[in-house]
């Protein structure tokens, strides 16, 4: 995000405040030095004779900053840049000497009966070392601020590239799910056609088309409402019920108040697919799935449980070769960091497997209005 520059009047006041410091110190030095003379200078005269000269730097500072950006000093050595800054330093010094001379003749002790030209030449030479140091300090500050701006710009660009890279990785992970899901569903349709169950196959194709239409509508969207996620999942499960007929039962346990929570798109489908493949399909009798959503403070818990034979001996989710689990784990990490995680464990009842997703609870600004609510 680009920084909004401060208003011109605020920047001018800031410069006045900055250059009032050396002007005030110079005025105080002049005043206290005059106390040792037979005719001490009034404080107001000391300030009026010194401050205006230093205020020459108020308009000069932005100009010096702009010149520093244009004529950068450093390596490699550039004679033109150095010559430009030397001329600029002499110009500011001359302007300072001119204003200082006018103020000295009006409010200061002056130089006796010296003419204006003599006073101008003496003040210009006398103040030149101080003005040169002041100019160098101003250029140093300008280069330091420019370096900070360049560093912030590099950080901004790096952050933008990191975001683009993360989005590209997420998109690749999400796209990976589509052909995987499509292949498995089409394979099931082929089996139905071979078995002569054309009506069931036709219904499955209609449901598949509806799912694909919704996936195309979502596009590259990484997060959707839980309502939309469950709507797609419901159609996927209807396909599976057509495949398994009476062998699949689904129990929904979702709090209606969570329907507008934001969840990763297709976060539950691979978990449900695994539960059907390794749970319901492994049973000779009917099997059941339970899909649950609960809020725990600032966290949202999504759970998919089956009553199948459970996990194989020595199962390690970190080394699981399955696309569904590895994809879900990678997407949660990209989206939420350590706050997003997935676990797979044996059911507390000792029968079946429970896959649980944890992610930060975030609510949609408004309900999406698509899909059916589940209770």
């Amino acid at each position: 995000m680009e920084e909004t520059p401060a208003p011109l009047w605020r920047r001018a006041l800031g410069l006045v405040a900055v250059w009032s410091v050396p002007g005030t110190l110079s005025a105080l030095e002049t005043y206290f030095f005059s106390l040792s003379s037979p005719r001490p200078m009034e404080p107001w005269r000391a300030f009026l004779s010194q401050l205006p000269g230093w205020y020459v730097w108020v308009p000069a500072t932005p100009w010096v900053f702009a010149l520093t950006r244009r004529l950068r000093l450093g390596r490699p050595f550039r004679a033109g840049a150095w010559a430009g800054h030397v001329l600029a330093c002499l110009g500011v010094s001359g302007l300072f000497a001119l204003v200082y001379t006018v103020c000295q003749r009006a409010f200061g002790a002056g130089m006796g009966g010296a003419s204006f030209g003599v006073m101008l030449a003496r003040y210009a030479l006398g103040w030149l070392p101080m003005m040169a140091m002041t100019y160098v300090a101003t250029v140093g500050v300008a280069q330091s601020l420019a370096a900070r701006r360049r560093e912030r710009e590099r950080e901004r660009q790096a952050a933008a590239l990191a975001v683009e890279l993360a989005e590209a990785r997420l998109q690749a992970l999400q796209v990976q799910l589509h052909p995987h899901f499509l292949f498995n569903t089409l394979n099931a349709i082929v089996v139905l056609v071979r078995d002569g169950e054309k009506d069931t196959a036709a219904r499955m194709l209609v449901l598949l088309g509806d799912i694909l239409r919704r996936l195309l509508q979502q596009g590259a969207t990484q997060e959707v409402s839980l309502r939309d996620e469950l709507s797609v999942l419901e159609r996927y499960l209807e396909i599976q019920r057509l495949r398994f007929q009476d062998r699949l039962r689904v129990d929904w346990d979702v709090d209606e108040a969570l329907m507008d929570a934001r969840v990763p798109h297709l976060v539950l489908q691979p978990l449900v697919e695994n539960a059907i493949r390794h749970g319901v399909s492994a049973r000779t009798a009917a099997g059941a799935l339970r899909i649950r959503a609960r809020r725990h403070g600032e966290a949202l818990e999504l759970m998919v449980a089956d009553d199948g034979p459970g996990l194989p001996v020595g199962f390690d989710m970190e080394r699981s070769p399955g696309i569904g689990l590895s994809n879900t784990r990678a997407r949660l990490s990209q989206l939420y960091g350590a706050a997003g995680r997935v676990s797979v464990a044996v059911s507390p009842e000792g029968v079946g497997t429970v896959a649980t997703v944890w992610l930060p609870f975030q609510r949609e600004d408004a309900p999406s209005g698509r899909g059916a609510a589940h209770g």
Side-chain angles (χ1 to χ4, degrees), residues 170-193:
L170 283 168
Q171 183 63 16
L173 289 168
Q174 182 170 312
V175 169
Q176 183 186 47
L177 286 177
H178 294 178
H180 182 252
F181 156 74
L182 182 61
F183 171 80
N184 290 337
T185 306
L186 289 175
N187 187 55
I189 294 174
V190 169
V191 172
L192 290 172
V193 172

Side-chain angles (χ1 to χ4, degrees), residues 281-295:
S281 296
R283 292 171 56 94
T284 56
L289 291 181
R290 185 185 181 194
I291 300 171
R292 187 179 75 181
R294 288 287 183 270
R295 180 181 179 181

Side-chain angles (χ1 to χ4, degrees), residues 128-189:
L128 182 59
M130 175 62 73
M131 291 298 102
M133 289 188 293
T134 304
Y135 186 90
V136 170
T138 304
V139 170
V141 171
Q143 288 189 323
S144 177
L145 293 176
R148 285 182 58 188
R149 282 194 297 271
R150 290 192 297 271
E151 182 63 26
R152 286 197 298 269
E153 180 62 19
R154 284 194 293 267
E155 291 175 354
R156 188 192 64 79
Q157 292 177 353
L161 288 174
V163 170
E164 291 176 2
L165 178 60
E167 290 178 349
R169 288 174 176 171
L170 283 168
Q171 183 63 16
L173 289 168
Q174 182 170 312
V175 169
Q176 183 186 47
L177 286 177
H178 294 178
H180 182 252
F181 156 74
L182 182 61
F183 171 80
N184 290 337
T185 306
L186 289 175
N187 187 55
I189 294 174

Side-chain angles (χ1 to χ4, degrees), residues 45-69:
R45 286 184 176 274
F47 278 88
L48 289 179
S49 66
Q50 300 294 320
L51 277 174
W54 286 99
Y55 285 150
V56 165
W57 283 98
V58 172
T61 299
W63 180 73
V64 173
F65 274 37
L67 186 66
T68 302
R69 288 193 296 270

Side-chain angles (χ1 to χ4, degrees), residues 287-371:
L289 291 181
R290 185 185 181 194
I291 300 171
R292 187 179 75 181
R294 288 287 183 270
R295 180 181 179 181
H296 301 276
E298 297 302 316
L300 179 65
E301 177 198 39
L302 304 176
M303 186 196 75
V304 176
D306 65 70
D307 57 356
L311 295 172
V313 178
F315 174 80
D316 185 355
M317 190 181 68
E318 297 295 329
R319 299 179 181 178
S320 173
I323 293 177
L325 282 178
S326 61
N327 187 290
T328 301
R329 189 167 60 247
R331 291 179 66 205
L332 290 173
S333 177
Q334 285 287 329
L335 282 169
Y336 311 113
R341 63 188 189 276
V342 59
S343 65
V344 179
V346 176
S347 173
E349 291 79 13
V351 178
T353 305
V354 177
T356 307
V357 170
W358 291 86
L359 59 149
F361 177 79
Q362 303 174 69
R363 191 178 297 278
E364 288 277 325
D365 292 337
S368 63
R370 296 194 302 271

Side-chain angles (χ1 to χ4, degrees), residues 96-254:
F96 176 91
L98 177 62
V99 174
Y100 191 85
T101 302
V102 171
C103 293
Q104 287 297 317
R105 289 182 69 89
F107 307 107
M111 290 186 176
S115 65
F116 183 87
V118 171
M119 291 179 64
L120 177 61
R122 290 182 179 178
Y123 285 136
L125 293 175
W127 279 98
L128 182 59
M130 175 62 73
M131 291 298 102
M133 289 188 293
T134 304
Y135 186 90
V136 170
T138 304
V139 170
V141 171
Q143 288 189 323
S144 177
L145 293 176
R148 285 182 58 188
R149 282 194 297 271
R150 290 192 297 271
E151 182 63 26
R152 286 197 298 269
E153 180 62 19
R154 284 194 293 267
E155 291 175 354
R156 188 192 64 79
Q157 292 177 353
L161 288 174
V163 170
E164 291 176 2
L165 178 60
E167 290 178 349
R169 288 174 176 171
L170 283 168
Q171 183 63 16
L173 289 168
Q174 182 170 312
V175 169
Q176 183 186 47
L177 286 177
H178 294 178
H180 182 252
F181 156 74
L182 182 61
F183 171 80
N184 290 337
T185 306
L186 289 175
N187 187 55
I189 294 174
V190 169
V191 172
L192 290 172
V193 172
R194 286 177 179 175
D195 293 342
E197 300 182 29
K198 295 182 180 180
D199 291 341
T200 304
R203 174 59 180 163
M204 195 176 288
L205 280 171
V206 171
L207 290 169
L208 177 60
D210 188 28
I211 291 176
L212 293 178
R213 176 178 60 81
R214 289 171 178 268
L215 295 181
L216 289 174
Q217 286 176 346
Q218 294 294 345
T221 302
Q222 294 298 333
E223 291 182 315
V224 297
S225 68
L226 182 59
R227 175 181 286 101
D228 286 349
E229 175 71 5
L230 295 182
S231 179
V232 173
L233 187 62
E234 185 180 47
R235 282 153 180 78
Y236 170 76
L237 285 170
E238 188 174 348
I239 290 176
Q240 298 303 322
R241 278 194 292 266
L242 289 173
R243 174 186 172 192
F244 288 95
Q245 298 180 355
D246 297 332
R247 291 178 54 207
L248 176 61
R249 187 181 77 254
V250 180
D251 295 327
W252 300 93
D253 184 12
V254 180

